[in-house]
Amino acid sequence: MSTLDIKGLRVAVGGGEILKGVDLRVESGEIHAVMGPNGSGKSTLAHALMGRPGYEVTGGSITIDGVELLGLEPAARAAAGLFLAFQYPIEVPGVPVAAVLREAFAAMGRPASEALAAEMAVEAAALGTSAELMSRHMNVGLSGGEKKRNETLQLVLLRPRFAVLDELDSGLDVDALSVVARRIEQARRDNDPPLGLIAITHYRRLLQELRPDVVHVLARGRIVRSGGPELASELEDTGYAGYREVSSTS
Ligand code: ADP
Ligand code: MG
């Protein structure tokens, strides 16, 4: 079993401090939902976890089983077992998905399967898409929903210890979301150790498919509330009115 432990994480972007001390601890097999108003820093948290340039960590720690990830390159964080499914997957012309996966396996210190192309085809079918689409140059020309399936395909094949899903539901219709969520749920159970998840989302929809153990509300740079799945339902009914930025002029 593994533990992803985020303690007192502070992150500045573009000159402003966005995260002001985030604490979040995820164990293998757990699903933690992170919800919160637009601009509250959810994607900033995801990028800071992965070590994206431009996201300056000004305090705190991020460890997996006691190993500090801060200061490591994104590839080394992947090697430590972390995976990020982007809110807006990037297009990389000229680079096939299989090449990205081979690099990722190499970074993780595991050889890619000889049968990677065949495995990609099987996963593409399981995700309700074609191997041809998924084997194109990274995300180039794919629809929003196809990019999300592509992220899921990579997640399933790479078998990370922990995955951050940033608005995985955006771009997927109800049926596609159900297919993708069920495949991730299967990976959560089948991986060894079982996959731990941070599911960033606005909508209860995803959380009906991917039942969270804990729901957190990120607002004003901190996790201001945590609860069970019922908190997601409450937020869908009441909105984030009580959690928005407090303007200094009002
Ligand atoms: P969320 O995902 O919760 O909607 P984000 O993490 O994307 O929020 O953004 C949080 C805040 O940080 C916003 O005010 C946003 O404008 C700012 N921000 C995010 N990324 C950047 C960036 N690369 N440069 C400047 N400001 C950024
Ligand atoms: Mg976001």
Side-chain angles (χ1 to χ4, degrees):
M1 293 302 241
S2 282
T3 305
L4 169 64
D5 204 2
I6 304 164
K7 280 189 188 152
L9 187 68
R10 305 179 82 93
V11 179
V13 186
E17 187 174 59
I18 305 299
L19 299 184
K20 299 170 182 167
V22 170
D23 297 298
L24 186 58
R25 186 185 169 96
V26 183
E27 308 279 353
S28 290
E30 291 181 347
I31 302 179
H32 289 247
V34 175
M35 306 181 79
N38 278 327
S40 59
K42 302 183 297 298
S43 291
T44 299
L45 173 63
H47 290 308
L49 286 173
M50 215 58 218
R52 184 166 183 168
Y55 293 77
E56 190 199 347
V57 175
T58 53
S61 70
I62 305 167
T63 59
I64 292 182
D65 299 334
V67 176
E68 182 60 67
L69 300 190
L70 290 176
L72 300 183
E73 295 294 317
R77 298 184 193 209
L82 199 57
F83 178 92
L84 169 61
F86 291 102
Q87 180 173 4
Y88 303 109
I90 36 183
E91 299 190 6
V92 191
V95 181
V97 179
V100 174
L101 281 169
R102 283 184 203 287
E103 285 291 323
F105 277 113
M108 295 170 91
R110 302 190 337 232
S113 162
E114 300 268 319
L116 183 60
E119 288 174 9
M120 283 178 64
V122 169
E123 278 309 329
L127 292 168
T129 184
S130 77
E132 190 277 318
L133 270 184
M134 293 296 106
S135 60
R136 275 192 201 170
H137 290 178
M138 189 72 171
N139 289 324
V140 175
L142 298 189
S143 71
E146 287 158 355
K147 286 178 184 172
K148 297 293 176 157
R149 289 182 220 244
N150 196 349
E151 299 280 293
T152 307
L153 176 132
Q154 294 168 56
L155 160 61
V156 169
L157 290 175
L158 285 170
R159 296 180 168 263
R161 283 172 189 269
F162 296 97
V164 184
L165 312 173
D166 192 357
E167 312 265 0
L168 186 75
D169 38 358
S170 71
L172 290 172
D173 63 36
V174 177
D175 295 333
L177 177 63
S178 174
V179 168
V180 164
R182 261 186 270 129
R183 185 64 191 90
I184 292 174
E185 170 57 24
Q186 189 191 338
R188 183 182 72 81
R189 283 183 277 115
D190 293 352
N191 285 12
D192 183 22
L195 174 68
L197 288 165
I198 296 178
I200 295 171
T201 183
H202 270 88
Y203 301 108
R204 186 168 53 179
R205 208 160 65 98
L206 175 69
L207 303 179
Q208 284 167 335
E209 305 279 351
L210 218 50
R211 292 291 290 174
D213 298 289
V214 192
V215 175
H216 307 276
V217 180
L218 182 66
R220 300 186 288 274
R222 288 192 181 86
I223 288 180
V224 294
R225 209 174 148 197
S226 299
E230 72 286 351
L231 180 52
S233 308
E234 181 193 315
L235 289 168
E236 189 127 314
D237 294 338
T238 62
Y240 294 108
Y243 298 102
R244 293 199 188 283
E245 297 296 320
V246 180
S247 164
S248 54
T249 54
S250 64

